[in-house]
Amino acid sequence: MTAELVPSEDERALAETVRDVLTDLSPIAQVRADFDSEAGYAATAWKALAGDVGLCGLLVPEQHGGLGLSWSAANVVHHELGRALYPGPFLATSLATTALLAAGAEAAVPSVAAGETVATVALADRRGNWTGEGVTATESGGAWRLTGRRWHVIAGSAADLVVVLARTPAGDALFVVEPGAAGRTSAPMTGMDLTRRLATLDLAETPATLLGEPGGAAPLLAVVGRHLRLALAAEAAGGLDWCAGTCVEYAKTRQQFGRIIGSYQAVAHACVELYGAARSAHAAARWAAVAAENGAGEADLASHVAALRAGEDYRVQTEAGVHLLGGIGFTWEHDMHLYYRRARAAGTLVGGAAAHRLAVADLAGL
């Protein structure tokens, strides 16, 4: 079936279900309470989303225990998760699942799709570049062991199974490190985004299973990278949706000098720009998801455009939102700064604006 730019009735129902679960089990007050929890997210919300709704199997074929849905369905899910700043490991787990499926390692997928195993990917060096440098893979008697450190691992302290990028004599390759593997440790990383925890992953002669062939990381990383761009673009659109609604409502009710502040031209223009950015980001993210689902030749280009457009709009407009809210916007008590933090931090996970511009120019043949 060909995906459409306008969400289908089933996709709208899925989005409504996810929003209802998040409203009940992961409202912003719970997200703030999760700052001090060991896992960083509420187990009840994770169980409901991963197990009851089945989100961890969203893109997993039905024969491997998933729902077998589409990128366009994933688009509406990531939109809702971004709108609510959901802190659970859904993004990390879905990226790891994509890597496993792309590599043909289906044996590990059913437990991940069922939400029983939390998974993540460990691909980046200290600067956030996806490179095998920094983790050495050695083979002896058909068994692989990894030694080194990965950075910026989403949900790295909560994950059971980790897909690791490492360097073999033949080039970079992906490996699976099982839960409880010897020599595997993780530590929290200090980051700007309080709603998405990062960690470092240290490996010391840690047993691992090779995915694909030695030196065969590039095509797998391409698939995972596109998934990450689509997800973060949809999250940004969801976050902008929340920001636009919050700022417009504030402008309609807050009074200064006997008038609601929305009646002042400068405030009204700022609200319009914020709303326009939200719609533009949503359109770009949706276009990229539909292109991926339909196997369009422009799919990679669309994903970079969406990540660039939505990411930049998210950062700029959350900063503008802080100013629109006046004195309250700068306080810890208001939630706007949490969205600003998410916007700033998300850009570093996916390479940043300069990397997207270079990719767009290359793919467009400029």
Side-chain angles (χ1 to χ4, degrees), residues 62-359:
E62 292 179 286
Q63 65 265 33
H64 301 308
L67 300 177
L69 297 182
S70 63
W71 285 107
S72 56
N75 169 262
V76 302
V77 169
H78 283 294
H79 182 102
E80 293 301 324
L81 297 175
R83 187 177 184 278
L85 288 180
Y86 177 63
F90 174 70
L91 175 60
T93 296
S94 59
L95 292 174
T97 306
T98 292
L100 293 171
L101 289 171
E106 293 90 354
V109 171
S111 67
V112 178
E116 298 166 356
T117 298
V118 175
T120 190
V121 293
L123 310 176
D125 64 9
R126 186 167 190 165
R127 295 183 175 180
N129 299 315
W130 289 10
T131 170
E133 186 176 359
V135 177
T136 302
T138 55
E139 187 265 341
S140 177
W144 289 91
R145 293 184 181 276
L146 307 183
T147 299
R149 172 175 288 186
R150 300 283 75 178
W151 301 77
H152 309 282
V153 183
I154 305 171
S157 296
D160 304 307
L161 182 149
V162 186
V163 176
V164 180
L165 178 60
R167 182 148 295 176
T168 75
D172 291 351
L174 292 181
F175 294 82
V176 171
V177 175
E178 300 287 346
R184 170 188 158 181
T185 57
S186 63
M189 274 186 69
T190 301
M192 176 176 283
D193 186 359
L194 303 176
T195 61
R196 177 175 281 146
R197 290 192 181 178
L198 302 179
T200 57
L201 176 72
D202 287 291
L203 304 164
E205 292 291 317
T206 302
T209 302
L210 175 66
L211 291 177
E213 299 294 330
L220 303 179
L221 293 177
V223 176
V224 175
R226 188 166 71 181
H227 185 146
L228 180 58
R229 293 190 293 275
L230 294 175
L232 292 182
E235 280 192 4
L240 281 164
D241 187 30
W242 179 91
C243 293
T246 299
C247 288
V248 169
E249 184 61 29
Y250 184 79
K252 287 164 58 180
T253 54
R254 173 69 173 169
Q255 295 195 10
Q256 285 286 3
F257 309 111
R259 295 168 54 183
I260 58 171
I261 62 172
S263 66
Y264 293 103
Q265 189 176 48
V267 174
H269 282 182
C271 288
V272 169
E273 288 182 3
L274 176 48
Y275 181 77
R279 302 316 304 162
S280 175
H282 174 71
R286 183 72 188 172
W287 167 54
V290 169
E293 181 60 28
N294 293 339
E298 62 188 10
D300 276 335
L301 174 64
S303 70
H304 280 287
V305 170
L308 174 62
R309 186 63 182 266
E312 290 209 314
D313 281 346
Y314 199 13
R315 178 182 55 79
V316 169
Q317 294 301 328
T318 49
E319 184 174 353
V322 169
H323 293 283
L324 268 171
L325 294 170
I328 190 69
F330 289 86
T331 65
W332 171 258
E333 287 75 14
H334 201 282
D335 300 322
M336 181 59 78
H337 71 92
L338 300 178
Y339 287 83
Y340 174 74
R341 290 168 181 266
R342 171 66 70 90
R344 289 296 300 265
T348 63
L349 292 177
V350 73
H356 292 309
R357 289 192 176 96
L358 287 172

